[in-house]
Amino acid sequence: MSEAIVRKQRPKFLALHEIRLPLPGIVSILHRVSGAGLFLMMPFLLYLFDRSLASPESFAAYKSVVGNPLVKLLLLGLLWAYLHHFCAGIRFLLLDLHKGIDLQSARNSSRIVLVVSIALTVIIGVKLW
């Protein structure tokens, strides 16, 4: 046998930047990322909670930490992560109950999750900032 016949075609290079993920897939990935981010930031959130309740002096330290604009931005990101994870979790519970599993309603529910989580983040973030 010739070498050309024996040789298998090698798989092509998978260009991840060219793959177009549908919106429900993006919402699913963001749900996982937001859950992981909330889990990893739990010690920081517990530290802030502890500092806010321990004593008046520790509350002053808490206010100085939270007053930093970078920390405010981090907390705003965590607020979005919580709201997105909550809204997407409700969506996935409904999908587990076989509600909205056809293509158009799945796309609509993923849009609703993104819009509601961003809108609630803006509303609550403006009130808290």
Side-chain angles (χ1 to χ4, degrees), residues 44-77:
F44 176 68
L45 292 172
L46 289 174
Y47 167 77
L48 288 179
F49 184 64
D50 178 55
R51 292 294 92 201
S52 70
L53 297 177
S55 68
E57 294 82 21
S58 66
F59 183 71
Y62 161 79
K63 283 178 63 174
S64 68
V65 168
V66 174
N68 186 345
L70 290 176
V71 174
K72 283 186 178 184
L73 194 61
L74 175 69
L75 290 174
L76 190 65

Side-chain angles (χ1 to χ4, degrees), residues 20-30 84 91-92 103 106-115:
R20 186 166 141 76
L21 195 63
L23 190 59
I26 293 170
V27 168
S28 177
I29 290 172
L30 288 176
H84 177 80
R91 176 182 180 265
F92 291 128
L103 183 61
R107 286 181 179 164
N108 288 339
S109 66
S110 61
R111 277 190 205 101
I112 289 170
V113 164
L114 287 177
V115 168

